[in-house]
Amino acid sequence: MDFNYIALALPDLLRGVRMTLVVSALAILISLAIAIVGAFLRSLPFKPLHYLVTGYVEFIRGTPYLVQIFFIFYGFPTIGLTLSVFWSGVMALGIWASAYHIENLRAGLAAVGNGMRDASASLGLKPLHHGLFVVFPIALRAALPSIMNTIVSTIKNSAYLQAIGLIELTYVAVEKISYEFRAVEMFASICVIYLACIFTVSGLGHVLERRLKRPYLGR
Amino acid sequence: MVDAVVEPFLQMNGVGKWFGNLQVLHDVTFSVKKSEKIVVCGPSGSGKSTMIRCINRLEKHQMGQIHVNGIELTDQKKNIDRVRQEVGMVFQNFNLYPHLTILENCTIAPRWVKGIGRKEAEDIALRFLERVRIPEKAHFYPSQLSGGQQQRVAIARSLCMNPKVMLFDEPTSALDPELVREVLETMAQLAADGMTMICVTHEMGFARQVADRVIFMDEGKIVEVASPDEFFDDPKESRTRRFLKQILY
């Protein structure tokens, strides 16, 4: 393994990882926003909305992620919605992750239990306040481990976006290999970089989890 | 002027309820005066929990009428909200909010339902936490308290909304035996202070000491209503006698 080569390639790789992180961050935000709306709609006592959200989840989870990316990038323009490579990538990744987050939140909501609803109703709390101050925080705590899991997958799955030409970390590596044939050096390097990103994010997740679980004394 | 008839504070009239095809309440009729203490007992599945859960509309009755302080419980949301402001409730499993401190558990409803400011709500909460004798736990979380302490917090949380009647749904059934007394003592003190109370409980000592009347239910019907002395020493109904024989060891 030629470490000098890796050192020379590092600036290009760092530009790639910056794109990976930007796309992932936007996709994570979008996916969580879609998921919160989706989980809320599914919790309403109006069956058609329930089927709509469940259909969305099943469709996204039941079709290959790569097909979804191509569908958005190549398919959407024919129905009049042309997105840049960057925004196609963000949308594809965000939509993919949102389906999993909706399921994560479902598990979280199931953990809230009927006792909380009884307590809030008997105290006269409005459904809005009950949702915001009771259901959401409890569900979030319960769902956090699986939400972190999906967030980690979101970052890793940004690599697929090289298929539509997004210049992220994997794209940079593959591109360089096609000119300079240093496959071992490049793939080893990007594995290390991905690992570093993932460890950082899951570490933050553990901190958050501990903080939310901490029954602390005083304030 | 004609003497005003003392309106019952709470009245159930021919209340019926079904879960699917199963009728769980049959023609339940009784009334409660202000400051009265009622103990409801009966075998499991007799409908006593369902009955008191109808009083603040946690369950919806399908027949008859329920009036609380002159307000009839119907589908009207406004009436339900008003009744819930008058009625406090304590549950078998405490149902404290696990992610909030004891103080926050006690202030959330006064702040968001009544719009009381944070400081004032905390003062009220601390006053009631003192009354249930755990002000020192104000900044703890429910999971750090014993079951008896949690249940006393649940009582304080209800009292913070200044209810006119308190419902207790088997408040000591989930407690370890040595923790039952502290909760019953808190309830007895509340009774002594003049609170109107309806308690579903199997604590017969409490019933004898605190209740004005005991209501015995079986299979969704009220079988017998009597003063505690009559109920325990000279029950009229054979079904009541059978029940008492089974629970009094």
Side-chain angles (χ1 to χ4, degrees):
Chain A
M1 186 129 63
D2 185 344
F3 287 99
N4 279 332
Y5 177 76
I6 293 175
L8 287 173
L10 210 51
D12 285 342
L13 292 178
L14 289 180
R15 269 195 293 282
V17 80
R18 194 170 66 194
M19 177 58 87
T20 291
L21 292 177
V22 169
V23 165
S24 301
L26 285 170
I28 288 165
L29 289 178
I30 288 174
S31 63
L32 288 172
I34 296 175
I36 289 170
V37 172
F40 172 71
L41 292 179
R42 191 150 72 172
S43 74
L44 294 176
F46 184 58
K47 279 284 161 195
L49 283 175
H50 181 98
Y51 296 132
L52 189 75
V53 175
T54 305
Y56 174 83
V57 169
E58 293 305 327
F59 181 77
I60 301 296
R61 293 201 308 177
T63 53
Y65 171 49
L66 193 58
V67 173
Q68 294 163 16
I69 297 170
F70 286 150
F71 195 87
I72 289 175
F73 186 63
Y74 296 113
F76 275 19
T78 64
I79 55 169
L81 185 68
T82 308
L83 297 171
S84 64
V85 168
F86 177 78
W87 286 107
S88 294
V90 169
M91 286 315 294
L93 192 52
I95 288 172
W96 172 84
S98 70
Y100 290 88
H101 282 314
I102 288 175
E103 288 298 281
N104 296 338
L105 288 178
R106 183 169 71 138
L109 289 172
V112 177
N114 289 337
M116 295 299 105
R117 198 201 50 209
D118 283 352
S120 292
S122 75
L123 289 167
L125 276 186
K126 296 261 181 298
L128 175 70
H129 295 146
H130 173 61
L132 279 179
F133 304 138
V134 179
V135 174
F136 186 68
I138 297 176
L140 189 64
R141 282 163 172 79
L144 195 60
S146 41
I147 287 177
M148 287 315 299
N149 229 345
T150 305
I151 284 178
V152 162
S153 300
T154 309
I155 298 171
K156 289 189 295 186
N157 277 355
S158 66
Y160 279 85
L161 299 176
Q162 61 106 4
I164 55 170
L166 183 76
I167 305 171
E168 43 67 60
L169 186 54
T170 304
Y171 182 99
V172 171
V174 170
E175 176 100 335
K176 288 184 87 68
I177 290 165
S178 70
Y179 292 126
E180 294 156 0
F181 313 110
R182 306 285 194 136
V184 173
E185 282 84 354
M186 279 301 92
F187 284 131
S189 312
I190 67 170
C191 279
V192 170
I193 296 174
Y194 276 119
L195 274 173
C197 297
I198 301 298
F199 278 145
T200 308
V201 170
S202 54
L204 288 174
H206 285 305
V207 170
L208 186 62
E209 227 173 286
R210 262 204 308 279
R211 246 194 92 83
L212 287 176
K213 282 224 181 94
R214 176 177 64 177
Y216 47 103
L217 306 174
R219 274 199 270 193
Chain B
M1 212 174 111
V2 190
D3 281 348
V5 180
V6 180
E7 272 262 315
F9 182 75
L10 187 155
Q11 195 159 25
M12 280 198 160
N13 215 330
V15 169
K17 174 165 180 66
W18 287 257
F19 286 133
N21 287 326
L22 180 72
Q23 185 164 11
V24 290
L25 292 179
H26 294 261
D27 190 26
V28 171
T29 300
F30 72 95
S31 61
V32 181
K33 290 196 289 281
K34 219 163 175 16
S35 287
E36 219 181 353
K37 286 88 181 129
I38 308 288
V39 162
V40 183
C41 60
S44 80
S46 60
K48 46 198 195 307
S49 278
T50 307
M51 190 270 284
I52 73 162
R53 286 167 63 85
C54 284
I55 296 174
N56 60 353
R57 197 87 168 169
L58 293 187
E59 302 287 352
K60 190 169 154 179
H61 62 284
Q62 287 125 342
M63 222 174 122
Q65 297 92 41
I66 301 174
H67 286 89
V68 180
N69 206 11
I71 307 161
E72 178 167 9
L73 272 172
T74 58
D75 280 331
Q76 275 207 321
K77 264 204 64 46
K78 207 180 85 208
N79 283 3
I80 297 173
D81 287 345
R82 277 170 69 202
V83 165
R84 284 177 178 168
Q85 297 235 4
E86 313 263 297
V87 180
M89 188 162 195
V90 173
F91 303 90
Q92 181 175 357
N93 296 313
F94 328 136
N95 294 351
L96 295 177
Y97 301 126
H99 61 300
L100 300 180
T101 64
I102 298 311
L103 194 62
E104 288 163 343
N105 263 280
C106 293
T107 54
I108 182 171
R111 288 182 64 193
W112 293 99
V113 179
K114 292 193 163 173
I116 294 173
R118 185 205 185 100
K119 185 79 192 60
E120 194 189 341
E122 289 184 350
D123 288 346
I124 295 170
L126 282 170
R127 206 166 67 229
F128 283 111
L129 287 173
E130 250 158 56
R131 205 158 130 193
V132 300
R133 300 188 313 280
I134 31 180
E136 74 280 4
K137 301 286 187 194
H139 297 292
F140 284 56
Y141 282 79
S143 64
Q144 298 171 300
L145 272 58
S146 73
Q149 290 171 328
Q150 289 190 52
Q151 193 60 297
R152 284 187 282 144
V153 169
I155 294 172
R157 176 175 72 173
S158 260
L159 293 176
C160 285
M161 289 299 283
N162 194 23
K164 304 216 175 59
V165 53
M166 286 286 287
L167 309 176
F168 292 86
D169 189 3
E170 305 208 28
T172 57
S173 300
L175 295 176
D176 289 334
E178 76 274 18
L179 302 176
V180 168
R181 174 173 282 275
E182 58 187 87
V183 172
L184 292 181
E185 277 173 356
T186 306
M187 290 166 64
Q189 188 208 330
L190 196 60
D193 292 344
M195 178 63 78
T196 313
M197 292 165 58
I198 302 174
C199 315
V200 173
T201 180
H202 293 127
E203 296 297 333
M204 291 304 144
F206 175 82
R208 204 185 258 278
Q209 187 199 323
V210 173
D212 296 310
R213 278 187 295 157
V214 179
I215 292 177
F216 175 66
M217 289 182 73
D218 190 25
E219 295 179 341
K221 301 187 192 80
I222 292 183
V223 175
E224 184 161 359
V225 183
S227 72
D229 287 347
E230 265 182 290
F231 183 80
F232 291 111
D233 301 336
D234 186 21
K236 297 283 173 292
E237 302 291 332
S238 64
R239 183 66 193 91
T240 314
R241 284 197 290 274
R242 267 210 318 280
F243 174 73
L244 287 172
K245 214 178 206 164
Q246 273 164 352
I247 63 161
L248 297 176
Y249 188 68

